[in-house]
Amino acid sequence: MSIFRNTVWFVKGLQEYTKSGYEAAAKHFAPADLDVNLSGRSFMITGANSGIGKATAQEIANRGGIVHLVCRNKGRAEAAKEQIVEQSKNQNVHVHIVDMSSARQVWEFAQSFSQNNGLHVLINNAGCMVNDRELTEEGLEKNFATNTLGTYILTTALMPALKKAEDPRVVTVSSGGMLTHKLNVDDLQFEKGTFDGTMAYAQNKRQQVILTERWASQHKEIHFSSMHPGWADTPAVQSSMPSFHAKMQSRLRTEAMGADTVVWLAVSQAAVKQPSGLFFQDRKAVATHLPLACSRSSPQEEEKLQAVLEELALKFKP
């Protein structure tokens, strides 16, 4: 991470990613964009038992959508479902227990789901920031396994089901933190040098944005987008970045503010009028690189990323 990139990003964040940044942007939102009836449309949300994922699920359930919560912890998932149903009066909320860091589990779930359910919208929200280098049971670095490979497998495995649906969409919750990093395709699992969980997370989020762009160019039938929710006060931020949370707490967005653009991308007609593959912040497409940041990767590097992920994914396919 260059000092220049990091400084520019933090100043930008103080202006745009905070609660006041959202409030300024929201003055220009069209309220009618979210005035929709989602009855009959099916939405899958990963990491949906708390934070932005749960807030997104609640908004979709409130509008009558069929909601599939994909979560790792059964107790917390069932508690989230109960709260969502109670508030929305929508009984069409379903829990699926999947560990997104397990490539084989993700494959098995996606294959089983596709055989038994239709799907209109996939929202890739699940993520983690593990601050010490940790390997999964499959021998993969945990941040990479969850944020990048798990997202890759779930999305690609569900594409045939999505292509059968009307107005199919994939929304990936990335992070503005990716602006501080250039893709490093030669060390995807952080085996070289000193491990830094924040840097690993930013790399993963850069990878998600690149994958969104590539999928958009390769699968025209589906509308793809990625987004930055801003700096939101979520359980994940509290646990993974305690010092940042302590310093910034009064300026952080609510979970609902963080979820707003996710919901807008998933349900509004205004969103699909935008080109596929873009990166959004507060309902607007924004640049994926800071000015003068030298963070662009070559087409060859981006192609290699997708090829490596495909090879790894097939290794764990049942």
Side-chain angles (χ1 to χ4, degrees):
M1 182 192 307
S2 80
I3 294 172
F4 170 78
R5 267 184 238 149
N6 201 32
T7 303
V8 171
W9 173 78
F10 191 72
V11 171
K12 179 183 176 70
L14 289 173
Q15 295 173 334
E16 299 177 18
Y17 303 163
T18 53
K19 187 188 297 183
S20 60
Y22 174 83
E23 290 166 346
K27 292 175 183 176
H28 306 287
F29 291 173
D33 283 357
L34 299 186
D35 187 13
V36 291
N37 182 343
L38 301 177
S39 178
R41 284 184 67 77
S42 175
F43 298 78
M44 180 185 292
I45 306 152
T46 65
N49 62 10
S50 67
I52 289 167
K54 183 184 172 190
T56 299
Q58 185 70 69
E59 291 296 329
I60 290 169
N62 290 349
R63 290 165 174 78
I66 303 164
V67 180
H68 296 277
L69 310 176
V70 177
C71 307
R72 186 181 59 199
N73 184 291
K74 190 174 193 301
R76 283 186 286 190
E78 292 291 351
K81 173 186 173 179
E82 187 177 330
Q83 291 169 1
I84 291 166
V85 169
E86 182 180 358
Q87 186 173 324
S88 66
K89 311 304 179 192
N90 180 351
Q91 299 295 324
N92 232 329
V93 180
H94 311 276
V95 167
H96 308 271
I97 304 305
V98 185
D99 182 349
M100 289 297 295
S101 73
S102 169
R104 187 170 292 276
Q105 263 194 55
V106 176
W107 269 119
E108 290 171 348
F109 164 67
Q111 291 170 341
S112 171
F113 183 91
S114 297
Q115 289 169 7
N116 300 298
N117 303 273
L119 184 65
H120 294 87
V121 181
L122 168 63
I123 298 171
N124 290 311
N125 169 72
C128 69
M129 186 192 295
V130 180
N131 287 312
D132 296 308
R133 192 171 188 276
E134 182 182 327
L135 299 184
T136 67
E137 290 181 3
E138 295 167 335
L140 301 169
E141 192 279 320
K142 195 159 192 176
N143 293 291
F144 168 79
T146 306
N147 302 329
T148 301
L149 186 61
T151 297
Y152 178 86
I153 292 172
L154 186 64
T155 305
T156 53
L158 290 175
M159 279 187 197
L162 286 162
K163 288 179 180 179
K164 293 175 186 174
E166 182 183 351
D167 184 18
R169 311 184 192 189
V170 174
V171 181
T172 298
V173 180
S174 181
S175 168
M178 67 94 189
L179 293 168
T180 63
H181 277 260
K182 179 181 186 293
L183 174 68
N184 179 5
V185 78
D186 296 320
D187 190 24
L188 293 176
Q189 297 193 58
F190 317 106
E191 295 165 290
K192 303 170 186 174
T194 304
F195 182 80
D196 182 314
T198 305
M199 291 176 69
Y201 182 81
Q203 269 289 321
N204 297 157
K205 294 299 171 178
R206 170 64 73 187
Q207 291 155 12
Q208 290 177 343
V209 169
I210 290 170
L211 287 171
T212 295
E213 292 168 347
R214 291 188 64 82
W215 285 329
S217 68
Q218 295 162 355
H219 303 278
K220 306 287 190 186
E221 310 97 314
I222 302 171
H223 189 275
F224 292 88
S225 53
S226 59
M227 60 78 67
H228 173 42
W231 294 341
D233 191 352
T234 66
V237 170
Q238 293 171 33
S239 61
S240 300
M241 305 174 72
S243 59
F244 174 80
H245 181 266
K247 291 173 187 171
M248 297 293 295
Q249 187 171 9
S250 65
R251 305 178 74 169
L252 297 179
R253 298 180 176 200
T254 64
E255 293 169 347
M257 289 175 178
D260 177 82
T261 296
V262 186
V263 177
W264 182 82
L265 288 166
V267 311
S268 76
Q269 284 307 301
V272 287
K273 291 176 182 175
Q274 298 279 338
S276 184
L278 299 182
F279 178 65
F280 289 82
Q281 175 188 311
D282 293 333
R283 303 193 191 183
K284 282 188 175 182
V286 295
T288 55
H289 299 276
L290 295 170
L292 307 175
C294 301
S295 57
R296 297 180 189 277
S297 45
S298 69
Q300 292 78 15
E301 288 170 320
E302 295 177 4
E303 187 176 334
K304 182 178 178 181
L305 169 67
Q306 195 168 6
V308 169
L309 291 175
E310 181 65 14
E311 185 179 340
L312 261 179
L314 291 175
K315 179 180 173 184
F316 295 103
K317 187 175 183 180

